[in-house]
Amino acid sequence: MSTLFTNARLIDPAKDSDALGWVLVADGVIAEVGYDAAPQADEVVDCGGKSLAPGIVDIGVKVCEPGERHKESYKTAGAAAAAGGVTTMVTRPDTLPAIDTPEVLEFVERRANEAAPVNVLPMAALTKGREGREMTEIGFLLDAGAVAFTDCDNVVTDPKVLSRALSYARSCGALVIAHPQEPGLSKGAAATAGKFAALRGLPAVSPMAERMGLDRDMALVEMTGAKYHADQITAERALPALERAKKNGLDVTAGTSIHHLTLNELDVADYRTFFKIKPPLRAEEDRLALIEAVKSGLIDTISSMHTPQDEESKRLPFEEAASGAVGLETLLPAALRLYHNGDLTLPELFRAMALNPAKRLGLESGRLEAGAPADLVLFDADAPFVLDRFKLKSKSKNTPFDGARLQGKVLATYVAGAAVYRRD
């Protein structure tokens, strides 16, 4: 059966184009894309001039199975992803227990395939228990389906352990995703060092901790030749180190979170814990520098860094509250703030949210071209709404955008050409 999406504003990040056209889908893949007379099809979807783009590939989603299913399950995370235009979730291994053996990985894959309507690609831990002492069986985990290896925000402090893991990952062709941070400096920090944190009496960390962590990692990548992706670059001071690594020909990419692109340290205001994330929100100068880095391509990917926390974890004094925010459903409307502000075009946004993440993981998705999977999101970039966190499909409701005025609603999400979400 074939489906024709017609009268659509096609957002093609690979061609950097934004124009009215049509997409023909057959057997779960894109058969043809055009901008003139449309062909015949078994089913026709009139997009009404709204935007049709490749589905978002979100690297770094936390789903709390196994261990903390009360915070998020694959069923609720999958529903949230579909409602947010995310067609592929790349999930983190910071679960209880950590995803560090083929057996746990296979359990996760089975649960995900049963419960989630979108694609789920699991990452595995780089070291056993994410404790930074002994590397996992990278080869076996690759065979079991791991798409990358990361200890998430548990930074491997021993450079010998990390260098061995990077060397072994290189021999297997595996991608290592790391969290650039100097853990000694950042331990216990709840905010970014500066006047605001001092006035609020919050324990703070200098952005240089991120720069120091990235400098160390880049030296080890240069030594080992491994494939490396920085999960979140959030500070302007880290950008020169990233730029040098790329100019030197290292196989390095970097991402940032939508929260660091659209919020700053002042949003914490009077200790609002929904704004407590890791790394902490930065100064406005950092936020603007990150936008420029995304626009230039220095920062490759934008992700939600979806981190569900229950009310009990967040309704605490700011220093004690858990870090993290849910973001699967808010990633696109928050990103559209950058479009409406004139900071980034829609093709530039989807280059960072769909094309580049897919390319880094070796996926065929993230593009509008013949042969690519028909993973698509149809959205109205201009539709205004006020976010009500209690209407989110995630189990946890810890979003910093609660009550915020946003523009951009997902109208439908398609995985392999089949609708997995339609707005009522």
Side-chain angles (χ1 to χ4, degrees), residues 110-271:
R110 187 169 63 252
R111 284 287 304 140
N113 289 330
E114 288 171 358
V118 301
N119 304 308
V120 180
L121 302 177
M123 297 189 282
L126 185 64
T127 66
K128 292 181 179 179
R130 300 172 50 241
E131 293 175 351
R133 292 199 292 265
E134 184 182 357
M135 69 179 176
T136 54
E137 296 282 2
I138 291 174
F140 290 151
L141 286 161
L142 270 177
D143 292 342
V147 296
F149 295 84
T150 179
D151 277 354
C152 305
D153 57 358
N154 277 14
V155 178
V156 179
T157 56
D158 188 334
K160 185 170 286 188
V161 171
L162 183 55
S163 66
R164 285 174 178 164
L166 288 169
S167 296
Y168 193 80
R170 179 183 180 275
S171 71
C172 298
L175 174 67
V176 173
I177 297 182
H179 183 72
Q181 199 69 219
E182 207 299 309
L185 275 178
S186 58
K187 185 177 181 181
T192 297
K195 182 179 179 181
F196 178 79
L199 288 172
R200 289 292 185 273
L202 295 172
V205 58
S206 167
M208 283 301 291
E210 185 172 299
R211 164 72 177 275
M212 292 165 68
L214 188 62
D215 277 333
R216 183 202 69 157
D217 286 1
M218 292 305 92
L220 292 174
V221 169
E222 185 176 350
M223 184 172 81
T224 59
K227 289 198 294 183
Y228 176 101
H229 178 79
D231 65 351
Q232 294 185 81
I233 297 297
T234 64
E236 183 179 12
R237 290 181 177 180
L239 294 174
L242 177 62
E243 188 172 15
R244 280 197 307 274
K246 289 192 169 188
K247 283 184 177 177
N248 289 339
L250 302 184
D251 193 351
V252 169
T253 52
T256 192
S257 88
I258 191 60
H259 301 115
H260 288 96
L261 284 171
T262 56
L263 304 169
N264 66 31
E265 60 184 350
L266 302 182
D267 286 301
V268 170
D270 293 322
Y271 310 103

Side-chain angles (χ1 to χ4, degrees), residues 10-43:
L10 301 184
I11 311 301
D12 189 341
K15 296 177 182 174
D16 194 29
S17 68
D18 176 352
L20 276 176
W22 51 264
V23 174
L24 180 65
V25 171
D27 300 322
V29 300
I30 296 173
E32 199 176 349
V33 179
Y35 298 90
D36 45 20
Q40 298 295 312
D42 299 319
E43 181 187 4

Side-chain angles (χ1 to χ4, degrees), residues 335-385:
L336 288 171
R337 280 183 167 183
L338 304 172
Y339 162 68
H340 291 297
N341 288 343
D343 297 322
L344 296 168
T345 66
L346 288 178
E348 286 170 342
L349 276 176
F350 278 87
R351 180 187 68 194
M353 294 192 299
L355 178 63
N356 285 348
K359 286 168 67 174
R360 192 51 167 155
L361 295 169
L363 309 177
E364 293 299 317
S365 55
R367 60 204 85 198
L368 293 182
E369 62 184 40
D375 296 347
L376 304 167
V377 55
L378 177 66
F379 64 98
D380 183 347
D382 299 316
F385 68 102

